[in-house]
Amino acid sequence: MNLEKIIVSQAIRLGKVSGKNGGSVYGPNLTKMCEQKYGFLQAPRTLDDYNLANGVTFFHGFFQDQFVIDKFQVFEYGLLVEAKMDTQECENFLDDVTSWATEQGGFKFIQESTAPKLFLSNIEVKSSILLSKSFEKLSTIGIEIANVLRSYGQISPDWALAGISYGNGGAGDMTSFRFEQREGAPPPKDVYFSSARMKTKDHLHVLEILEGLL
């Protein structure tokens, strides 16, 4: 299992956001500081942009002279960062911004001790897995699907299993794990898309186990 590309990662921390002394966050100060510190190219400008309930949003910043931050949002009850980098770097950014903002008076963030940390990891990997071989018993379903489509006058090759997913049966997308053939991948079609609500390193670990099983 080889990591080819990090498509998007998110890290979310839940907690209370307030001004330096527990009052309101003054938006223009926050904007000025974030632009100076991280060079965000797009930042809040109008009064409506400073609504913490909807998220005060910054786009396209730079972190540690190495990582582009695609989006950073400050909510009343949490922080979100999104980037095409390892989730560990997203966490490092949140550590940096909360520490720096508290010192400079931009805002104060108190993380809830019992609140979970939330992640999203969408990646592209190369793997020797052949789902059609691993789940050969299901191949007849793909043939049946194609037969139905052909009965409509459509030209269709036999279909094959293109992906698998896991969930807990109740929480939907928040806990889903997907592993799918990358659409449009050229032969030998060994490129896969995978999405998980976990850290990048844990995501890859689960994929390694999956590859070993299949």
Side-chain angles (χ1 to χ4, degrees), residues 9-79:
S9 294
Q10 286 183 352
I12 300 171
R13 289 190 187 173
L14 303 177
K16 176 65 175 176
V17 174
S18 67
K20 182 178 181 180
N21 297 313
S24 299
V25 176
Y26 186 58
N29 284 348
L30 175 61
T31 294
K32 182 179 179 180
M33 293 166 61
C34 284
E35 286 180 320
Q36 289 177 347
K37 172 73 171 175
Y38 302 107
F40 284 104
L41 296 182
Q42 185 175 333
R45 286 292 181 266
T46 69
L47 186 61
D48 288 341
D49 292 338
Y50 292 110
N51 187 339
L52 287 177
N54 297 328
V56 178
T57 305
F58 299 84
F59 293 100
H60 203 81
F62 207 41
F63 176 52
Q64 294 182 337
D65 295 326
Q66 185 177 3
F67 303 107
V68 172
I69 303 299
D70 294 322
K71 181 169 66 175
F72 171 54
Q73 291 183 290
V74 181
F75 294 89
E76 187 176 0
Y77 294 104
L79 307 171

Side-chain angles (χ1 to χ4, degrees), residues 92-180:
N92 291 344
F93 172 79
L94 289 179
D95 287 339
D96 189 73
V97 73
T98 52
S99 174
W100 166 79
T102 299
E103 292 173 0
Q104 298 298 316
F107 67 86
K108 185 177 181 181
F109 177 70
I110 301 177
Q111 187 171 342
E112 295 181 17
S113 59
T114 59
K117 290 182 178 181
L118 304 175
F119 301 95
L120 171 66
S121 171
N122 286 355
I123 60 177
E124 186 176 278
V125 297
K126 274 194 174 183
S127 173
S128 58
I129 292 175
L130 292 174
L131 292 174
S132 59
K133 296 291 184 181
S134 300
F135 298 93
E136 200 162 1
K137 287 185 178 181
L138 300 180
S139 62
T140 54
I141 300 298
I143 296 171
E144 185 61 28
I145 292 171
N147 286 338
V148 171
L149 295 177
R150 287 191 283 259
S151 75
Y152 302 155
Q154 299 179 24
I155 299 174
S156 175
D158 290 344
W159 285 35
L161 187 69
I164 57 177
S165 64
Y166 288 86
N168 66 10
D173 185 59
M174 285 302 293
T175 55
S176 66
F177 185 100
R178 295 162 54 199
F179 179 75
E180 304 168 351

